[in-house]
Amino acid sequence: MTPKWARNKKILLGISGGIAAYKTAELVRALVKSDCEVEIILTETAARLVAPLTLATLSKRRVWQEADLRSDEMGWRIPHITLSDWADVMVIAPCTANVLRMAATGNSSTLLGATMLAFTRPIVFFPAMNSHMLANPATKGNVRTLEGFGHRVVDPDSGPLACGYEGKGRLPSTEAILDETWAAICPKRDFAGRKVLITAGPTHEYIDPVRFISNPSSGKMGYALAAEARYRGADVVLVTGPSNERVPSGVRAIPVTSAQEMQRACLDELQDADVIIKAAAVGDYRARKFSPQKIKREKAEILTIEMERNPDIAREISARRRPGQILVGFAAETENVMENALRKIESKGLDMVVANDVSEDGAGFASNTNHVCVYFSDVLSLQPTPIFGDKLEVASGILDRVAGLMA
Ligand code: C5P
């Protein structure tokens, strides 16, 4: 899902000569699908690894190559200046050790080098190389220099490398590259320096080794909040029940299964959190006795499972939190939404509750869109504020309200 504010952005993609260059065709496609305009600069080696024609076809534009820097035909338009003036953000993926050095030292001897030097907005670098090259103090020094310039240098993934090594140095996934690009151009940075603890997804309360009691929560709302908070600069910890959603790049996920595990993880992370958002659909009950063996259907016509109440994590956090920590809860209701939301603020000690009628079309569990109302503990603001849209837009609206509560 692309955030609304990321649509129609002008992206200048610099592709340098690492083997991962072949993956950039997918990246260009994803950027175009996000309604972005993409101009591409290929280094000489990159042009041997990925066909300029492929990229030109996908971006629907000509691709800029080394010869364009000094060609008689293009020279008068000064491509490196025209391109750098045009773009909102530069993305260098994959970024070789050499291009990293060129950027850090202001080397303008190539088209890509000259364009980076002329560029005045954020540059996001995606280094991809052999692990020893990455760990070399020379590379590390270049990374620090670029970060010092205010650019973003994204840590590579770990795994099998083209050189035969196993380790750090892989180009991150296309989705992660998009996440980091959006984070670099996000118009709001109001969560920079804040730790946001978010819970998401359902819990699974096992009754025997192969069966559990749960609910249809997909985790989409909590994951969208995690992505949006991260774009806005937060340090995000996502305590997540079982979910098929992708963890946004830069978000630290703590996977849990049961409500009790979720409780422990939340309490471990609570101390230095500035904001806690409880978007998880926590199971209210768990089996009183877990059967270590599979329950056999032949044994009984009617099966009675005795259940006991799970801890109310939100209430416990509210009791333990220190002054200034903001606690936000969710209320998924099928009737009397406002009444139930206000009762929840009171009984759980929340600062704010995000309420939705899950029986409505286009809202609630597993839906890509949502329609919520936000209520605050402050009685003066009883007037609910509705937020509609895809879950990223709703997440953005919720975080706007949270930002309003932050000191
Ligand atoms: O009581 P109810 O489940 O409707 O309240 C929903 C809110 O409380 C959500 O924010 C949910 O994450 C949180 N909750 C919790 N622990 C529970 C049950 C709900 O933190 N055991």
Side-chain angles (χ1 to χ4, degrees):
M1 206 179 281
T2 308
K4 228 179 185 161
W5 44 260
R7 298 202 174 269
N8 305 312
K9 289 288 175 192
K10 297 186 176 82
I11 317 271
L12 180 50
L13 173 62
I15 305 176
S16 63
I19 183 63
Y22 81 91
K23 297 179 180 169
T24 53
E26 281 293 346
L27 174 61
V28 172
R29 204 155 181 270
L31 288 166
V32 170
K33 241 174 119 179
S34 295
D35 294 333
C36 291
E37 290 176 66
V38 190
E39 289 279 4
I40 299 166
I41 299 177
L42 276 176
T43 65
E44 246 177 299
T45 324
R48 296 177 54 206
L49 295 164
V50 58
L53 183 59
T54 309
L55 300 170
T57 309
L58 293 172
S59 66
K60 300 184 178 67
R61 284 164 185 256
R62 83 188 294 291
V63 166
W64 301 90
Q65 296 190 62
E66 201 45 46
D68 293 318
L69 180 62
R70 295 184 185 91
S71 87
D72 288 341
E73 183 216 343
M74 301 306 302
W76 62 272
R77 281 195 212 155
I78 318 182
H80 59 288
I81 304 300
T82 314
L83 287 168
S84 59
D85 284 348
W86 170 84
D88 295 307
V89 62
M90 259 187 107
V91 174
I92 314 294
C95 180
T96 57
N98 189 40
V99 166
L100 207 63
R101 175 190 58 82
M102 290 182 78
T105 56
N107 185 323
S108 61
S109 61
T110 63
L111 176 60
L112 183 56
T115 312
M116 291 190 294
L117 194 63
F119 198 64
T120 55
R121 297 187 192 96
I123 308 184
V124 195
F125 294 90
F126 293 91
M129 63 193 76
N130 165 274
S131 333
H132 291 168
M133 293 168 76
L134 189 70
N136 192 294
T139 306
K140 285 184 159 172
N142 290 332
V143 169
R144 272 195 303 276
T145 302
L146 291 170
E147 286 173 343
F149 293 165
H151 297 311
R152 229 179 157 82
V153 185
V154 179
D155 228 17
D157 280 357
S158 294
L161 305 178
C163 55
Y165 277 58
E166 179 89 25
K168 205 167 178 183
R170 287 172 65 88
L171 183 70
S173 69
T174 297
E175 291 90 347
I177 296 176
L178 295 187
D179 272 343
E180 295 292 343
T181 304
W182 306 153
I185 55 171
C186 183
K188 292 179 182 159
R189 296 288 301 167
D190 45 358
F191 281 80
R194 309 279 185 160
K195 175 173 166 179
V196 180
L197 172 60
I198 299 172
T199 67
T203 60
H204 287 181
E205 307 297 335
Y206 274 83
I207 59 171
D208 74 11
V210 295
R211 302 185 184 96
F212 56 79
I213 294 173
S214 188
N215 60 64
S217 168
S218 60
K220 282 183 179 160
M221 193 62 240
Y223 278 64
L225 280 160
E228 183 69 22
R230 165 84 181 138
Y231 298 150
R232 289 162 81 152
D235 170 15
V236 183
V237 177
L238 180 66
V239 176
T240 171
S243 166
N244 292 324
E245 292 297 297
R246 182 184 62 86
V247 176
S249 181
V251 166
R252 180 158 63 91
I254 305 178
V256 297
T257 305
S258 66
Q260 285 179 303
E261 276 175 39
M262 187 172 275
Q263 176 196 31
R264 273 194 295 276
C266 286
L267 295 180
D268 282 352
E269 293 293 334
L270 181 61
Q271 186 50 33
D272 55 346
D274 298 291
V275 176
I276 303 108
I277 306 181
K278 307 245 40 261
V282 186
D284 287 325
Y285 292 92
R286 66 176 178 275
R288 191 155 196 188
K289 263 206 202 124
F290 170 77
S291 162
Q293 302 302 332
K294 183 178 172 186
I295 301 168
K296 291 289 181 197
R297 70 195 290 263
E298 298 81 16
K299 287 235 168 111
E301 194 65 32
I302 292 175
L303 174 67
T304 307
I305 303 167
E306 220 182 333
M307 309 282 287
E308 65 185 328
R309 203 152 58 195
N310 267 329
D312 188 319
I313 309 170
R315 189 177 293 163
E316 200 171 338
I317 288 178
S318 170
R320 291 181 182 218
R321 68 176 156 156
R322 53 177 171 77
Q325 280 181 313
I326 296 166
L327 180 57
V328 180
F330 271 69
E333 303 293 345
T334 53
E335 56 180 354
N336 304 331
V337 177
M338 176 162 163
E339 230 177 289
N340 285 320
L342 295 178
R343 194 172 318 123
K344 223 153 271 186
I345 288 184
E346 187 75 26
S347 68
K348 293 182 190 250
L350 307 172
D351 297 303
M352 179 177 139
V353 75
V354 182
N356 58 352
D357 186 338
V358 287
S359 60
E360 242 181 63
D361 275 351
F365 291 138
S367 168
N368 282 324
T369 56
N370 213 349
H371 169 197
V372 303
C373 270
V374 174
Y375 300 87
F376 298 94
S377 57
D378 171 4
V379 282
L380 293 176
S381 49
L382 254 185
Q383 197 60 32
T385 45
I387 313 169
F388 307 87
D390 68 37
K391 283 188 172 170
L392 269 181
E393 282 177 272
V394 172
S396 167
I398 292 169
L399 291 180
D400 285 345
R401 271 54 166 204
V402 174
L405 296 176
M406 288 190 316

